[in-house]
Amino acid sequence: TTAEKVAKFKLNDGRDMPALALGTYLGFNQNGVIKSENKQLRDAVLNAIDLGYRHFDTASIYDTEEEIGEAIKMKIDSGDVKRSDIFLTTKLWNTRHRRDQVLPALKDSLTKLGMDYVDLYLMHWPIGLNEDYSHSDVDFMETWRGLEDAMKQGLTKAIGVSNFNEEQLKRMLEEATVKPAALQIEIHPQIVQKDLVDFAQENGIVVMAYSPFGSLVSRFGMQMPGPKMDDPVLTEIANKYKKTTLQVVLRWLVDRKIVPIAKSLHAKRQAENINIFDFSLSEDEIRKINEFDSHTRFTLPSFWQTHPYYPFDKIDTPIADPFVKSNM
Ligand code: NDP
């Protein structure tokens, strides 16, 4: 089956992570997160499982856990997969960073998923927030103790972090009892993240790439400046391997031992995105793609930049916080 063709990367506990995940974030508008309609996401996950996807990336803030869980349970019930064939990642939201809030938060996610455990629980951001989204000063190391508790209780097989910078990751490696198994960050041709990826990998942390297509696709109707699908450098590489430029970009990540999290609700695109395990790029081609690097982020929550644990460089004119009701 295709699932067997998907490469796997070893986590620091010896377990395997499938080297491609299906992303499930549906976006954000004035009313909050965009919801799946008519079970569109459930059906997309069912289709993805048929295509060989075994790794699903969600988060409590995406509000997609229910339909993902529903699809996985349907596939378990029909005998197509076992729970142990699936790698399920979800994330703790910023408003539940106190140590005593972490277990209940994960339990809420598990209830929505209809699962006894997840494979990976990530701290979504190093940033703690209060219920009203004012900044809280909960230290992310306190939050980490909560993730360690959850792991000890068997509610998650592994724990990790997302949107941490190198300094924060360093501190975590020094102070954590359980070392993070994974780091999820934005990576695509315009944000190559060489230093952070090297640092994580040297420390046995598997890196996962969100928004892997970068400027090649538009997201929620937004275009980002940068290489597009018909970029000549990417097209030349794609033609050589009889692949598409999107497949080349995903392969560029896998060849760097990074797990791309590619989101698509469409069957044909899901099939395209998983069809990357029968070729690999040369060192020279990887270097050529690295040259697109312009350190440009899609996910830049500058409204949090006064927070002591804001992980990114600050900008001159931060945008209004979309999570705060009065700004919507
Ligand atoms: P992606 O790079 O996965 O791009 C998704 C967009 O590309 C969608 O518009 C999708 O459209 C389109 N697309 C996908 N495949 C194809 C294809 N083969 N041809 C043409 N268009 C295609 O970006 P995301 O920002 O969604 O990131 C992926 C995932 O990463 C998220 O879903 C989420 O799980 C995770 N994430 C994590 C974050 C974090 O803070 N940890 C932040 C952001 C994302 P369509 O669906 O209509 O096919």
Side-chain angles (χ1 to χ4, degrees), residues 22-26 57-58 62 91 122 124-125 162-163 184-185 209-214 217-220 229 244 246 261-266 268-270 272-273 298-299:
L22 185 77
T24 67
Y25 179 49
L26 302 182
D57 180 79
T58 182
Y62 300 168
K91 311 185 193 91
L122 298 175
H124 207 144
W125 290 88
S162 177
N163 296 305
Q184 184 174 130
I185 50 175
Y210 73 69
S211 305
F213 297 124
V217 300
S218 72
R219 265 179 218 77
F220 324 125
M229 272 195 231
T244 65
L246 293 183
I261 309 169
K263 177 259 174 186
S264 179
L265 295 175
H266 297 100
K268 268 186 74 176
R269 292 173 172 183
Q270 289 181 351
E272 176 181 346
N273 299 346
F298 252 119
T299 297

Side-chain angles (χ1 to χ4, degrees), residues 240-257:
K240 173 174 162 191
Y241 296 104
K242 299 196 166 49
K243 293 286 174 184
T244 65
T245 51
L246 293 183
Q247 289 171 323
V248 165
V249 166
L250 294 179
R251 188 66 221 191
W252 164 75
L253 290 161
V254 172
D255 283 329
R256 295 173 64 204
K257 303 279 181 287

Side-chain angles (χ1 to χ4, degrees), residues 139-158:
D139 185 339
F140 58 76
M141 282 315 303
E142 169 178 339
T143 314
W144 189 250
R145 303 291 168 222
L147 275 90
E148 291 176 340
D149 298 338
M151 191 175 138
K152 271 186 213 115
Q153 297 224 359
L155 302 182
T156 181
K157 301 285 180 196

Side-chain angles (χ1 to χ4, degrees), residues 60 92-93 96 100-110 121:
S60 82
L92 172 77
W93 189 237
R96 303 180 87 172
D100 65 8
Q101 291 178 305
V102 179
L103 266 174
L106 178 49
K107 283 181 182 163
D108 287 349
S109 284
L110 289 172
Y121 198 41

Side-chain angles (χ1 to χ4, degrees), residues 130-290:
N130 298 312
E131 222 24 69
D132 65 356
Y133 278 75
S134 59
H135 298 179
S136 113
D137 54 11
V138 183
D139 185 339
F140 58 76
M141 282 315 303
E142 169 178 339
T143 314
W144 189 250
R145 303 291 168 222
L147 275 90
E148 291 176 340
D149 298 338
M151 191 175 138
K152 271 186 213 115
Q153 297 224 359
L155 302 182
T156 181
K157 301 285 180 196
I159 53 180
V161 294
S162 177
N163 296 305
F164 272 49
N165 64 29
E166 186 170 330
E167 188 192 338
Q168 293 168 332
L169 200 56
K170 241 179 221 152
R171 182 172 162 223
M172 171 139 299
L173 284 166
E174 278 160 19
E175 298 179 26
T177 307
V178 178
K179 307 286 177 228
L183 169 71
Q184 184 174 130
I185 50 175
E186 179 169 346
I187 314 179
H188 47 72
Q190 287 188 286
I191 182 153
V192 171
Q193 303 259 35
K194 182 167 185 330
D195 294 343
L196 186 50
V197 169
D198 285 350
F199 177 76
Q201 291 179 341
E202 279 159 17
N203 284 283
I205 298 170
V206 171
V207 179
M208 304 165 73
Y210 73 69
S211 305
F213 297 124
S215 58
L216 274 73
V217 300
S218 72
R219 265 179 218 77
F220 324 125
M222 282 187 313
Q223 294 272 354
M224 190 196 197
K228 296 288 176 288
M229 272 195 231
D230 62 355
D231 176 85
V233 173
L234 297 174
T235 301
E236 194 187 329
I237 302 172
N239 289 344
K240 173 174 162 191
Y241 296 104
K242 299 196 166 49
K243 293 286 174 184
T244 65
T245 51
L246 293 183
Q247 289 171 323
V248 165
V249 166
L250 294 179
R251 188 66 221 191
W252 164 75
L253 290 161
V254 172
D255 283 329
R256 295 173 64 204
K257 303 279 181 287
I258 296 168
V259 177
I261 309 169
K263 177 259 174 186
S264 179
L265 295 175
H266 297 100
K268 268 186 74 176
R269 292 173 172 183
Q270 289 181 351
E272 176 181 346
N273 299 346
I274 201 173
N275 184 14
I276 56 166
F277 294 100
D278 57 357
F279 77 115
S280 63
L281 302 182
S282 69
E283 298 269 339
D284 195 47
E285 288 159 348
I286 292 172
R287 254 196 311 274
K288 269 195 188 136
I289 299 175
N290 290 348

